[in-house]
């Protein structure tokens, strides 16, 4: 069992890190989180805050916060101080300095990533120490968020996924008597515009730290820029802050409208849909109600992305197209998503004209498998078959272009092999694996998580264990990558 005295006694840093019993640290944190859930249910604000302080001061919480920072995808992406926690010595030093009264957040490093519409999304990258502080506070905030969350909110939440959101939409629209009209909503610059005043008044956590993270500003081209609104995309705690700012829409609509209005609300992060019996209901009553809710938080609906659609015309949500065909609801991969995966394959082949076949296949397989696994739970068989044919055409063109003076038979023998009776599999004879076939993936409907599940509440432990056991699928990506 690791203690503060071991750390302060300068026991061998590397050996000490290797001796950590991570399961025990997780049990300690989980027990406190379960107590937070109980306190939230009892309405004891004072107990919640006391348990959050206990968690932020605990060695187990600090260790797990450090581990989260060094385990995620950004572990080698430094902030403005260009420091990363790549050695045990640095990790212990960071741990000693966590949750101190003199803590002060550093500015963010501003960077940009491309969006699907060609624009760029700004990211604010905190320094490693600030990420660890955020991870530590999140251990105490997330149980509160999960306990008070809208039951049909699925983005950036433990044990929930985009598949659960899509199944919730399916359940709301599949019957003959289901609502026919859908308000497709999108919040304009959600992360960039959330009101700091609202967050400071309504988020139950350490206000001193929260204020510093909101007001720390960012550096771009060595110039400091203040942040007067929004929570930075790139911060560990930002998705939970955004979720808590948007929670409450479900309850508002439930209280405002009758069951006969058939108003259903499903949200994934800042994208959400609302169903209704008539177009007029959504336009004249539901939409103004949501706009007023968002306005209190400094937010507004995106004019160009917020539309009202009939179910027979269909709509896109989270990369899926949902539409009724002669009264039957079908969920398929959206055309825009199909277009993107085809373009991605073509771009990769065009930019690797002389690369080794094995190298080309490995990269293609990585994003083809991810794309196919994301859509394996909906009506995708025909689309998978169509994409397999398109991939064959692109790889055949790639292979022919490499050897313009060779015959088609020679090219086929070199780049396309027969595997288990199936010919024309793209690979050279010595390659370890062929190009992945999307058609080889069985289609199986996803079982939606129960809406009221709270992963921090012990009463759901057996249900979640059973769910993981039944739904374990090797290689499945539970994220929205390339959707």
């Amino acid at each position: 069992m690791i203690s503060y005295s071991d750390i302060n006694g300068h026991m061998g840093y590397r050996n000490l890190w290797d001796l950590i019993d991570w399961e025990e640290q997780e049990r300690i944190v989980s027990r406190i989180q379960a107590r937070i859930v109980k306190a939230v249910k009892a309405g004891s604000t004072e107990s919640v805050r006391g348990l959050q302080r206990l968690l932020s001061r605990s060695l187990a919480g600090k260790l797990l916060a450090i581990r989260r920072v060094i385990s995620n995808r950004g572990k080698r992406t430094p902030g403005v101080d260009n420091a990363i926690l790549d050695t045990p010595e640095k990790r212990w030093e960071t741990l000693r300095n966590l949750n101190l009264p003199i803590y002060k957040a550093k500015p963010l490093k501003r960077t940009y990533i491309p969006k699907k519409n060609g624009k760029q999304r700004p990211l604010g990258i905190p320094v490693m120490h600030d990420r660890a502080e955020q991870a530590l506070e999140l251990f105490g905030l997330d149980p509160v968020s999960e306990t008070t969350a809208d039951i049909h909110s699925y983005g950036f939440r433990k044990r929930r996924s985009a598949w659960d959101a899509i199944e919730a939409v399916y359940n709301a629209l599949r019957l003959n008597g289901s609502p026919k009209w859908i308000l497709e909503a999108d919040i304009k610059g959600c992360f960039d515009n959330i009101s700091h005043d609202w967050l400071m008044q309504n988020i139950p956590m350490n206000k001193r730290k929260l204020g510093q993270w909101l007001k720390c500003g960012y550096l771009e081209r060595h110039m400091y820029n203040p942040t007067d609104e929004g929570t930075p995309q790139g911060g560990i705690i930002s998705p939970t802050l955004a979720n808590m700012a948007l929670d409450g829409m479900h309850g508002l609509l439930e209280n405002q409208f009758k069951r006969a209005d058939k108003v259903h609300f499903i949200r994934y992060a800042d994208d959400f849909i609302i169903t209704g019996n008539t177009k007029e209901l959504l336009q004249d009553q539901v939409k103004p109600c949501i706009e007023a809710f968002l306005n209190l938080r400094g937010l507004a609906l995106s004019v160009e992305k917020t539309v009202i659609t009939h179910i027979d015309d269909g709509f896109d949500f989270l990369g899926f197209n949902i539409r009724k065909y002669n009264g039957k609801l079908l969920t398929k991969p959206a055309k825009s998503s199909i277009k993107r995966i085809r373009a991605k394959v073509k771009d990769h082949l065009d930019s690797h004209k002389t690369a080794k076949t094995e190298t080309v296949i490995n990269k293609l397989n990585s994003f083809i498998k991810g794309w196919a696994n994301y859509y394996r739970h909906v009506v995708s068989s025909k689309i998978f078959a169509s994409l397999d044919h398109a991939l064959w055409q692109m790889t055949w063109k790639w292979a022919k272009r490499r050897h313009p003076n060779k015959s088609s038979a020679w090219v086929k023998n070199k780049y396309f092999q027969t595997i288990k009776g199936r010919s024309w599999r793209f690979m050279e004879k010595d390659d370890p694996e062929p190009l992945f076939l999307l058609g080889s993936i069985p289609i199986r409907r996803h079982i939606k998580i129960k809406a009221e599940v709270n992963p921090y509440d012990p009463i759901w432990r057996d249900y979640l264990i059973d769910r993981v056991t039944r739904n374990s699928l090797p290689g499945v990506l539970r994220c929205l990558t390339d959707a």
Side-chain angles (χ1 to χ4, degrees):
M1 183 75 175
I2 304 298
S3 66
Y4 279 112
S5 60
D6 293 327
I7 302 169
N8 295 329
H10 298 285
M11 181 179 173
Y13 287 120
R14 187 171 300 279
N15 293 334
L16 183 58
W17 190 264
D18 293 337
L19 289 174
I20 296 171
D21 183 347
W22 292 110
E23 289 186 2
E24 177 60 22
Q25 311 311 313
E26 290 171 352
R27 278 193 292 270
I28 293 170
V29 169
S30 294
R31 283 196 292 266
I32 301 175
Q33 289 175 324
R35 292 171 64 189
I36 291 174
V37 171
K38 186 176 180 180
V40 174
K41 286 182 174 181
S44 179
T45 304
E46 186 176 335
S47 295
V48 170
R49 190 66 199 109
L51 289 165
Q52 287 178 326
R53 282 194 293 267
L54 175 64
L55 191 47
S56 64
R57 293 169 183 170
S58 69
L59 178 58
K62 293 177 182 180
L63 286 169
L64 290 175
I66 297 289
R67 188 178 69 163
R68 173 165 181 174
V69 171
I70 65 174
S71 300
N72 62 23
R73 289 191 298 176
K75 62 184 178 182
R76 298 198 178 278
T77 305
V80 294
D81 60 357
N82 290 319
I84 58 174
L85 303 181
D86 55 349
T87 66
E89 291 81 1
K90 293 178 182 178
R91 296 164 193 169
W92 289 121
E93 185 63 27
T94 300
L95 184 143
R96 280 199 200 92
N97 293 311
L98 283 179
N99 202 43
L100 296 180
I102 60 172
Y103 166 70
K104 183 171 177 59
K106 287 184 170 61
L108 307 167
K109 181 169 75 174
R110 175 58 63 92
T111 186
Y112 295 89
I113 58 174
K115 295 173 67 174
K116 296 173 185 177
N117 59 8
K119 298 180 181 179
Q120 289 190 316
R121 186 192 308 277
L123 285 183
I125 302 176
V127 299
M128 289 285 181
H129 182 94
D130 290 345
R131 290 180 223 176
E133 292 278 2
Q134 290 189 18
L136 182 60
E137 289 297 321
L138 185 59
F139 286 140
L141 180 63
D142 209 37
V144 180
S145 174
E146 284 291 338
T147 309
T148 59
D150 286 342
I151 61 172
H152 288 302
S153 163
Y154 297 96
F156 302 120
R157 294 183 63 191
K158 289 181 69 174
R159 308 291 189 179
R160 285 167 168 80
S161 68
W163 298 335
D164 292 308
I166 292 301
E167 279 301 302
V169 175
Y170 179 82
N171 290 339
L173 298 172
R174 64 190 176 89
L175 301 177
N176 289 333
S178 295
K180 307 295 183 185
W181 293 92
I182 300 94
L183 171 67
E184 304 172 60
D186 184 271
I187 299 171
K188 186 176 181 180
C190 179
F191 281 85
D192 299 329
N193 297 307
I194 297 176
S195 166
H196 285 183
D197 289 340
W198 190 93
L199 291 173
M200 291 297 294
Q201 292 170 17
N202 293 277
I203 301 299
M205 63 170 290
N206 186 311
K207 303 296 185 183
R208 183 177 62 86
K209 287 185 180 180
L210 177 59
Q212 288 192 40
W213 295 332
L214 295 176
K215 300 292 186 183
C216 64
Y218 63 90
L219 291 179
E220 185 174 17
R221 297 178 182 175
H222 306 291
M223 293 288 292
Y224 176 80
N225 300 272
T227 47
D228 299 319
E229 58 186 8
T231 177
Q233 295 190 61
I236 288 176
I237 205 169
S238 295
T240 300
L241 295 179
N243 262 341
M244 295 187 77
L246 297 177
D247 283 333
M249 280 192 273
H250 179 271
L252 176 66
L253 294 171
E254 195 172 47
N255 294 331
Q256 194 83 8
F257 299 96
K258 302 175 183 176
R259 189 169 184 176
D261 294 326
K262 299 180 181 178
V263 174
H264 301 287
F265 171 83
I266 297 104
R267 177 170 68 84
Y268 188 95
D270 58 341
D271 293 323
F272 60 92
I273 67 140
I274 303 173
T275 68
N277 226 4
T278 65
K279 184 176 183 179
E280 292 72 26
L281 173 74
L282 293 175
Q283 181 66 52
D284 301 334
Q285 298 182 50
V286 172
K287 189 177 177 183
C289 183
I290 293 299
E291 287 174 332
F293 175 92
L294 294 175
N295 185 58
L296 292 174
R297 292 150 175 80
L299 301 171
L301 293 175
S302 170
V303 176
E304 63 270 16
K305 293 182 180 179
T306 300
V307 295
I308 298 175
T309 310
H310 194 277
I311 190 60
D312 290 344
D313 297 324
F315 63 97
D316 290 350
F317 185 55
L318 305 180
F320 296 86
N321 179 262
I322 302 164
R323 179 181 173 187
K324 273 191 176 179
Y325 298 82
N326 297 321
K328 183 177 178 62
L329 186 71
L330 297 181
T331 305
K332 302 179 180 180
K335 290 182 179 179
S336 58
S337 185
I338 299 169
K339 184 178 179 180
R340 279 196 300 274
I341 189 65
R342 291 180 63 143
K344 193 169 184 178
V345 171
K346 184 178 183 302
D347 290 345
H348 181 70
L349 291 173
D350 288 345
S351 60
H352 291 79
K353 295 177 181 178
T354 59
K356 288 184 178 180
T357 310
E358 179 184 348
T359 303
V360 171
I361 289 175
N362 285 341
K363 188 63 177 178
L364 286 177
N365 280 349
S366 68
F367 49 77
I368 290 172
K369 287 180 181 178
W371 191 92
N373 279 321
Y374 183 68
Y375 292 105
R376 69 181 303 161
H377 298 300
V378 297
V379 184
S380 302
S381 294
K382 290 183 179 179
I383 292 170
F384 283 177
S386 174
L387 280 172
D388 279 334
H389 180 68
L391 292 174
W392 173 83
Q393 288 179 316
M394 285 187 271
T395 52
W396 174 251
K397 183 178 179 180
W398 177 88
K400 287 280 288 181
R401 185 172 52 200
R402 283 164 71 101
H403 304 282
N405 298 322
K406 297 291 186 178
S407 67
S408 295
W410 186 93
V411 173
K412 179 186 181 300
N413 289 334
K414 179 172 176 59
Y415 292 103
F416 296 88
Q417 312 303 320
T418 299
I419 302 174
K420 294 181 180 180
R422 180 151 189 166
S423 59
W424 291 97
R425 297 296 304 278
F426 179 54
M427 66 180 294
E428 292 194 48
K429 290 182 179 178
D430 296 330
D431 289 347
E433 65 173 329
L435 184 67
F436 181 73
L437 285 175
L438 288 85
S440 66
I441 293 185
I443 304 300
R444 189 181 76 171
R445 182 169 290 282
H446 175 70
I447 301 173
K448 191 184 82 67
I449 192 170
K450 289 184 178 179
E452 63 272 21
V453 166
N454 183 340
Y456 296 104
D457 194 332
I459 67 172
W460 293 104
R461 182 176 179 275
D462 291 340
Y463 168 81
L464 290 171
I465 291 174
D466 179 64
R467 180 176 171 79
V468 169
T469 302
R470 285 186 291 108
N471 291 342
S472 290
L473 296 170
V476 174
L477 297 184
R478 300 181 181 276
C479 64
L480 201 53
T481 304
D482 297 323

